[in-house]
Structure formats: structure tokens, C-alpha cells
Amino acid sequence: MNALEIKKLSVAINDSNILKDFNLTVPKGEVHALMGPNGTGKSTFAKALSGHEDYEITSGEALLDGKNIVGMEPDEISRAGLFLAFQYPSEIPGVSIANFIRAALTARLKDNEDFEVTQYYKKLYEKMDLLKIDRKFTSRSVNEDFSGGEKKRCEILQLAMLQPKYAILDETDSGLDIDALKIVAEGVNNMRSAETGFLLITHYQRLLNYIVPDKVHVMWDGGIVRSGDRSLALELEEKGYDWIKEEMALTT
Amino acid sequence: MTQTDTINIDRDKGNFFYPTDYEFDAGTGLNEDTVRYISQIKKEDEWILDFRLKALKVFNEKKLPTHWASKDLENINFDKIRYYLSQGQKPSRSWDDVPDDMKKTFERLGIPEQERKFLAGVEAQFDSEAAYSNMKEQLAKDGVIFIGSTDGLMEHPEIFKKWFGKVIPTGDNKFSALNSAVFSGGSFIYVPPGVKVRQPLQAYFRINAENFGQFERTLIIVDEGAEVTYMEGCTAPKFETTTLHSAVVELVALKGAKIQYITVQNWSDNVFNLVTKRGLAMEEAEIKWIDCNIGSRLTMKYPGVILKGRKSRGEVLSIALSNNGQHQDTGAKMIHAADETTSNIISKSISIGEGRSTYRGQVHIPKHLKNCKNNTECDALLINTNSRTDTYPAITVRGDCNSVQHEASVSKVSAEQIFYMMQRGLTEGQAMSLAVNGFVNELIRQFPMEYSVELKRLIDLEMEDSVG
């Protein structure tokens, strides 16, 4: 069961159904892209899966390596191995990035384990060098007065440090200039391995020029309507989402 | 005192209780006889008894300040409180000589250990009197005096009588009058000219008895060019009935002297903590209050500095944390009374659940003064939507040769922030704790290390506990 398997997941916000019998499988070691126009439920899926209390999962399962994470608390889901890179990450004034990541790692320690400070900084600096992040960056307060690019970089650094089993990147490409986009993509590409599964949520196919996905899924009105390889993303770019809309109109 | 065999233990450090027998007990309620009893067993001079009796009259005449302060004050039943309880009036110089029940209490609070590690002297008060008092030998050789209030007035009247009740007059408020009538314990400190006490002196105040009132009196006089840091901590076990703590603390910093006074208040939440603290700073002297209020049911405390000498400096750095059922009504007073005086107030309050925080500030710079400066920053953090915070800054600045800066902010820990942190693996309690630590971080960095560690730990405990 080395996969993140979403089975017939239905999600409601304030009693209105956003996701309906949503199905998706991301095997470990693969990179999938979830595309679709705004308002089709991509971010809802990410938040609901992470256990956000505003999103009610009305039916279905989400299996992380075979373990159902539906109904678990957000922190339990995180520690079980699911990471969400936020589209709009929150500011935490007064808490440095270094201390924040440290707190997140400390929360993962077993009862008989101690936090290894030296090892931690060694690893942190390695990852920062890899992501071309300046050393001064981690002493700044988490997301406070950050540019769009800095916020995304901060998310990717956390991802690299926490080494989850599955990572969902929610619109990580939005608000990035081309250089920042390349750095983020390089970071993700570096982390690509048999140990991790990625789901990239994106509106544009631009990001997929830099992170080449194994599979592309197109979402429409709360469900996946089409899956294919990378050429599907290129097709979408060429034809736009109207093409999907028209097809959907025909079938309903 | 009812004897019980059980020891009450809760998660909070101070919430435990070893049964104790008291040899001296002024009984319940307050009248002239209570005051005479206290004065008599302390074998005080006549003038001290007179001072007390006059104060009692002032206390009885003054109304509770409920026209501006919390109506909760009306729930203090002064007739049901015990005003003096002790096992004797002379503190031991060695922990070995401290009676077992008290020694166990202080050991559990870690006081002897801290003394060995980083303190120059310790006084540990148990209910009305100090059970232990000791200071490093070298300091005694340097002429430093560190003794109890009555001893100070009787043994060194030439030093202490001059300033006793001068910085905070008996009639300053109802509770300073109450303290003046029944004061017992506290520290009288004198540091001779030029002596710089490198390690802090510490007082630890322990309330152990139920229905009790603790009224310590502290007077610290630091002579020209001398320096001292004084720290106080306090705890009490949690009782169903109310407990009263009403201290008066007066500081005098003579020319060029420096006093740093640090408080970490961790009373249980049945304690009314009504304290008057004020310092007098002479020419080029500096007084800094670091005030952390975490416990108590209602705290009313506004440490102040009267900037009497040219170029004197006053500072109040405070943190207040109010949880359900708590009201921290705190602030600062800066009275500029000379040219080129500067004052700085930084106040951070955190309200959790139904906890309530109030900031009251008073900054006064009269018209005839020149080149005075005040900076005031007060920031409030609300953890839940039903938390409450109020700010009442009163800044009177006259004349145009003075400068004042005032900034205030209220922020909230949002559900999105908490979700973000939980998505990284932190529990809800850890997430809130981190948000609060972030809020106070910059301020705590200015505290001595031992205290910032202790404070962070206390905040963590409070936050973990606030998650239902």
C-alpha cells in the first residue's frame, strides 16, 4: 500500500458539497499534477485532506500507506507523513523559521529521543544551500513581511526538512517570478525519490515545464474528469479550460 | 489549621500543600487588636505601632476603588481573612535549621538549588515571616544589608526610617494603607556607595495557608553609584476560598545608582494580588521594573518611577497572561520631575479564553521641564474570540521641549495560524504556545537568562492547559 489513495471522498463546507466522490491515487515515488480552473475544489481537497476543521468530510476514505487519515487531527495527519505547502501560508510573528522547523521536528521525536541541535543546523544549512537560500533567512520571523517568492521558498525549505511521505503543493507557482519558480522546481526535483509522492496543485502548466509530472489530472466541479500524461497539460495550455467545460456540458 | 494527611498535587508547580502548625496566629478579621498583636510579637518600637494604627484608620476610611477598578474587589471579605500566621519571627541562616514542612516546600520549588547556582542572597518567606534568609559573606563585608522589614526599622533606623513610607505614602491607596497596618516580612536592602552586587538577590514568597493575607513590605535603598538586581517569585496552593496578597515595595536609587527589580508572579487563581510598587530615581539613577504576571484571580499592579533627579531613567517591561477566570489589571506610571529624564514602558498582554487583560498607563511630564522623553508600547494578543483586552493610557505631557511616542496594538491568534502550525506536526497546545512565545520573544530577550527560561516554561504550561 505504498500510495496516497483517495477513495470516494465527499467534502462539504457549511453544508454545501464541494467534492463529490473524489478519487485519486498518488503512488510513492511519483509526481502528479492536479489542474483545473479556479473554484473547482483543488484547494478544498488539500485543506480537507489535511484535517482543516472548516471542511467536513461527509464520506469516503483517504489512505496514507493503507492507513485512513480521515477524522484525524491536523497534527496527527502531519506526523503520519502528509505535508501541505500552503497557497497562503500564515505569519507567525516573533518565531524564527529556524525555531519553527525545530518545533515541528521536536514534535516528531519519540519519548526516548533527544533533539540533536548540531545535527539539526547541519541539515538545515545543507538544505538551504541546495535551495540557494541565504543563511540570514532562517532568523527571520515565519512569513512576516515576506514577498510572495520568500513565502514559497520558506514552504519548500520546511518540506525539505520535514521529509514527508507525501507532499501536496497548493498553487506553489502562483506569485513567483521565473527565477524563483526555477529554484522551487529545482528543490522539488532534488527531493524526488522513491520515498516521496508529490501532488502539485496548479492552475497553469508553466510549473510543469520545470517539474515534469508522471501524471496529470484535470478537475472540474468537485471531481477528476480526465487523467493522462504530461501531454494533457500541454493540451490544456493550448486549448484552455473551456474545452473541458464544453465536453462536460455535452456529457451532462 | 486543620491537619490533613493528603498532599494536594496538581500540574502547576506551586499547587501543593504540606500541613503546617502555626505558633503565632492573629486570628480572623482585622481591628486594632490584630494590629497590636502583630506589633507586640514582633517587639516593635512604639513609633511603628503608631504608624500601623494610623494606617488602619486610613484603610477603614478609604473606599474600594471600584469606580474605576474591577467590581470583583467587592468579593474580598476582609473579616474572613487571617492577617498573621507564623512559626516564629527569626529566619534561619541555614536550610538545615528551617522547619521540615517549610523546607520541603521550598526544596520542591527549587529555591535552595537556585541559590547555589546563581544567587547572591535569598530570603524565603512562608506566610507572614521569612523562614530562611542568607546572603553571601562577601556582600556583608561590603556593607550590604539584606534583612526583614521590622529588623530593618529596628536595627538600622538611620538608614531605613528616612525612606520608609516616603515613596509610597500610607494613604496612596486602600491597599497600601492595609499593608502599612499589618505588614510583615519582605526585604529591607541597603547597598553602600559604589558597591555593585553582581549576582541577584532573591525573595520568594510562599502563601501556604487558606483564608490568609500576605502583606510583605520591601524597601530597597541603593546608594550613590551602587547597583543591585532583586528578583521575587511567588506561589500558593489552590484553595476554594480567596487569599489576599497585598505588598508595598519602595525603591530608592540615589545619584547614579541602578536598581533592577524582577517579578515572576505565579499565584494560584484564588489569590487577589493587589500590590503597590514605586521607585524614586535621583540624578542619573536608573530604575527598571521587569514584571511578569501569570497567576492570580485579580492582579492590580502599576509599577512606577518618580524621575526626581536630572537625567534619571525609568523603565517598565511587563508581561501579563490571563487565562479563564483571571483578570490582569496592570500597567505603569512614569512621573517626570526633572529635566532630561527618560522613561520607557513596554507592556505585552495575552488573554486566553475568557481571560481579561487591562493596561493602565500614566505618564506625566509637566510644562516647565525640558528634554524629557517617554516611549510607551502596549501590545495585546487575544487567543480566543471571547478574550478581552482594554487599554487606558493617560499621557499628560505639557510644554513643547519634550517628546512622547505611543504605540498600541491588538492582535489575534487566528484559526488559520493554528492550522498552519498543526499542519507541521505541532499539537494545538504547542501551536498556541509557540504563537505566544513569538509574541513575547523580543521582550523576554531583555530578561536575565534564568528568568526567561522559567517564564517560557510557565507560558508553555499555561497554553498546554488551556486547550480543552
Side-chain angles (χ1 to χ4, degrees):
Chain A
M1 287 304 178
N2 259 336
L4 181 64
E5 297 166 281
I6 317 300
K7 293 179 174 173
K8 293 192 149 189
L9 199 73
S10 295
V11 177
I13 308 174
N14 298 329
D15 296 327
S16 94
N17 295 315
I18 310 291
L19 293 194
K20 296 142 201 164
D21 288 340
F22 184 92
N23 293 294
L24 174 69
T25 298
V26 181
K28 214 175 258 179
E30 291 189 10
V31 175
H32 288 206
L34 183 63
M35 302 184 69
N38 290 328
T40 53
K42 301 189 300 291
S43 288
T44 295
F45 166 66
K47 290 264 176 74
L49 194 65
S50 308
H52 195 295
E53 61 179 1
D54 290 351
Y55 301 79
E56 190 197 349
I57 296 180
T58 50
S59 64
E61 291 183 315
L63 305 176
L64 194 154
D65 292 349
K67 187 185 180 186
N68 191 6
I69 58 170
V70 171
M72 281 165 60
E73 291 295 320
D75 57 315
E76 294 169 335
I77 295 171
S78 164
R79 295 194 302 269
L82 183 76
F83 181 94
L84 172 63
F86 284 62
Q87 185 177 4
Y88 304 109
S90 297
E91 294 182 0
I92 316 173
V95 178
S96 69
I97 296 174
N99 279 340
F100 183 47
I101 298 176
R102 183 178 169 161
L105 287 169
T106 306
R108 286 165 169 76
L109 291 178
K110 294 187 184 72
D111 279 345
N112 55 354
E113 286 178 330
D114 289 323
F115 191 80
E116 297 281 347
V117 181
T118 328
Q119 283 300 315
Y120 167 66
Y121 278 99
K122 196 172 160 241
K123 186 175 166 188
L124 182 67
Y125 292 145
E126 267 173 31
K127 301 288 182 190
M128 286 167 77
D129 290 347
L130 201 67
L131 296 167
K132 300 192 175 70
I133 293 173
D134 192 273
R135 289 280 159 93
K136 283 183 210 143
F137 187 63
T138 45
S139 54
R140 292 175 62 186
S141 293
V142 178
N143 296 318
E144 202 178 27
D145 303 322
F146 280 17
S147 68
E150 286 170 332
K151 282 183 185 168
K152 300 300 157 79
R153 237 178 264 200
C154 179
E155 294 294 284
I156 298 299
L157 178 62
Q158 293 173 50
L159 168 60
M161 288 299 289
L162 297 179
Q163 294 178 298
K165 292 177 180 143
Y166 299 94
I168 300 174
L169 280 66
D170 191 5
E171 304 270 1
T172 295
D173 49 335
S174 67
L176 290 193
D177 60 34
I178 199 74
D179 292 333
L181 185 72
K182 277 183 188 166
I183 288 167
V184 166
E186 217 175 289
V188 173
N189 286 331
N190 270 315
M191 278 179 266
R192 274 178 102 147
S193 76
E195 307 304 313
T196 315
F198 286 91
L199 182 67
L200 312 174
I201 295 179
T202 179
H203 187 71
Y204 304 103
Q205 92 89 31
R206 187 177 69 147
L207 178 68
L208 308 182
N209 289 334
Y210 302 97
I211 308 172
V212 181
D214 297 298
K215 259 191 177 169
V216 174
H217 309 275
V218 181
M219 204 171 163
W220 176 257
D221 193 23
I224 287 174
V225 292
R226 195 170 282 232
S227 297
D229 59 16
R230 202 193 153 206
S231 60
L232 179 60
L234 296 169
E235 196 178 347
L236 277 175
E237 183 172 58
E238 196 182 318
K239 297 183 182 170
Y241 286 108
D242 287 346
W243 155 69
I244 299 277
K245 285 181 199 169
E246 281 158 26
E247 280 205 358
M248 290 308 294
L250 286 176
T251 54
T252 48
Chain B
M1 191 81 238
T2 37
Q3 287 276 0
T4 47
D5 292 319
T6 51
I7 298 167
N8 301 312
I9 304 171
D10 203 332
R11 64 131 190 110
D12 21 349
K13 191 175 175 185
N15 191 19
F16 63 90
F17 168 76
Y18 298 117
T20 303
D21 282 320
Y22 296 98
E23 194 178 334
F24 302 92
D25 184 346
T28 302
L30 178 61
N31 54 41
E32 270 200 23
D33 290 341
T34 325
V35 171
R36 285 179 195 282
Y37 175 84
I38 295 170
S39 194
Q40 184 205 328
I41 56 161
K42 286 173 171 290
K43 301 186 181 68
E44 289 177 343
D45 290 342
E46 195 64 24
W47 75 268
I48 305 178
L49 176 62
D50 286 346
F51 175 88
R52 290 179 182 277
L53 291 171
K54 274 184 200 143
L56 178 65
K57 221 171 146 239
V58 177
F59 168 71
N60 285 328
E61 282 162 5
K62 274 197 182 288
K63 284 187 180 143
L64 285 170
T66 43
H67 59 289
W68 60 268
S70 170
K71 296 249 181 303
D72 196 20
L73 289 173
E74 287 164 3
N75 293 314
I76 304 172
N77 189 340
F78 292 100
D79 295 332
K80 288 214 170 135
I81 286 171
R82 298 189 285 175
Y83 290 81
Y84 184 90
L85 287 172
S86 83
Q87 294 186 14
Q89 287 75 38
K90 287 287 166 206
S92 308
R93 293 224 162 270
S94 152
W95 284 107
D96 291 339
D97 301 333
V98 173
D100 270 351
D101 43 5
M102 296 184 187
K103 194 167 77 179
K104 268 197 292 186
T105 299
F106 287 119
E107 270 172 1
R108 191 156 157 184
L109 294 164
I111 311 301
E113 193 193 343
Q114 286 177 9
E115 181 182 12
R116 283 193 298 274
K117 274 192 193 156
F118 67 91
L119 299 170
V122 170
E123 182 195 78
Q125 179 163 342
F126 195 89
D127 294 327
S128 296
E129 296 283 1
Y132 173 83
S133 175
N134 199 13
M135 181 176 68
K136 290 202 166 151
E137 261 177 46
Q138 185 56 46
L139 289 181
K141 282 184 194 153
D142 290 340
V144 175
I145 302 170
F146 179 32
I147 51 179
S149 51
T150 297
D151 292 346
L153 292 174
M154 306 268 284
E155 292 169 23
H156 304 279
E158 75 288 355
I159 296 171
F160 294 110
K161 203 177 162 181
K162 184 177 168 195
W163 294 106
F164 176 66
K166 297 300 192 303
V167 187
I168 301 170
T170 295
D172 187 82
N173 63 74
K174 189 171 174 75
F175 296 97
S176 62
L178 175 62
N179 175 281
S180 300
V182 295
F183 71 91
S184 182
S187 316
F188 273 38
I189 294 172
Y190 172 73
V191 185
V195 174
K196 293 178 178 162
V197 183
R198 297 287 171 205
Q199 289 176 302
L201 295 172
Q202 192 193 43
Y204 199 90
F205 299 99
R206 173 69 178 174
I207 291 179
N208 202 59
E210 206 169 348
N211 290 323
F212 175 69
Q214 190 173 53
F215 306 97
E216 87 271 9
R217 181 103 194 180
T218 291
L219 172 57
I220 301 176
I221 300 163
V222 180
D223 217 322
E224 295 189 2
E227 291 176 16
V228 75
T229 294
Y230 181 85
M231 321 204 290
E232 58 172 9
C234 39
T235 57
K238 205 171 279 179
F239 291 119
E240 290 303 310
T241 54
T242 54
T243 302
L244 178 58
H245 174 253
S246 194
V248 165
V249 177
E250 297 174 290
L251 309 182
V252 179
L254 298 177
K255 190 179 173 184
K258 282 185 184 170
I259 304 177
Q260 181 163 245
Y261 193 107
I262 305 165
T263 304
V264 175
Q265 180 267 104
N266 188 22
W267 294 118
S268 56
D269 52 19
N270 58 313
V271 176
F272 282 90
N273 183 44
L274 311 164
V275 172
T276 312
K277 288 182 165 169
R278 200 168 301 150
L280 185 66
M282 308 309 253
E283 198 175 333
E284 290 182 23
E286 185 180 304
I287 292 179
K288 187 187 226 179
W289 297 97
I290 294 180
D291 202 50
C292 309
N293 295 290
I294 290 177
S296 87
R297 167 172 169 172
L298 171 67
T299 284
M300 288 173 64
K301 180 168 34 159
Y302 320 98
V305 183
I306 301 164
L307 300 151
K308 195 159 190 286
R310 203 177 60 91
K311 285 191 170 173
S312 57
R313 292 180 300 278
E315 195 163 12
V316 174
L317 309 178
S318 70
I319 290 176
L321 194 149
S322 16
N323 223 318
N324 286 326
Q326 289 187 299
H327 183 181
Q328 307 284 9
D329 193 328
T330 58
K333 286 183 186 175
M334 291 293 175
I335 311 299
H336 291 251
D339 289 342
E340 297 175 74
T341 47
T342 50
S343 60
N344 184 32
I345 300 169
I346 302 177
S347 155
K348 299 248 182 192
S349 72
I350 302 135
S351 310
I352 308 158
E354 286 167 16
R356 188 176 162 194
S357 305
T358 304
Y359 169 82
R360 291 178 211 271
Q362 191 192 347
V363 176
H364 182 74
I365 306 179
K367 193 176 179 178
H368 64 274
L369 297 184
K370 286 189 190 71
N371 300 326
C372 296
K373 278 183 199 149
N374 165 262
N375 175 54
T376 300
E377 292 168 37
C378 42
D379 300 321
L381 183 71
L382 305 177
I383 304 282
N384 298 78
T385 41
N386 52 352
S387 310
R388 178 170 170 187
T389 183
D390 312 283
T391 302
Y392 305 97
I395 301 181
T396 341
V397 180
R398 302 213 164 78
D400 43 17
C401 301
N402 300 307
S403 89
V404 175
Q405 269 188 46
H406 180 251
E407 280 175 43
S409 78
V410 178
S411 46
K412 264 184 190 170
V413 177
S414 67
E416 285 310 306
Q417 264 175 313
I418 296 293
F419 176 68
Y420 181 60
M421 290 186 262
M422 288 179 78
Q423 211 300 310
R424 298 299 181 252
L426 278 66
T427 62
E428 194 178 358
Q430 288 167 341
M432 286 209 237
S433 195
L434 196 65
V436 170
N437 272 310
F439 176 70
V440 295
N441 227 345
E442 210 176 309
L443 191 55
I444 287 187
R445 251 181 246 144
Q446 303 187 38
F447 295 6
M449 222 256 292
E450 293 80 3
Y451 266 59
S452 60
V453 170
E454 165 81 358
L455 197 65
K456 283 188 172 191
R457 205 187 54 84
L458 282 174
I459 290 173
D460 286 346
L461 281 175
E462 277 297 315
M463 301 313 296
E464 297 269 320
D465 205 44
S466 68
V467 180

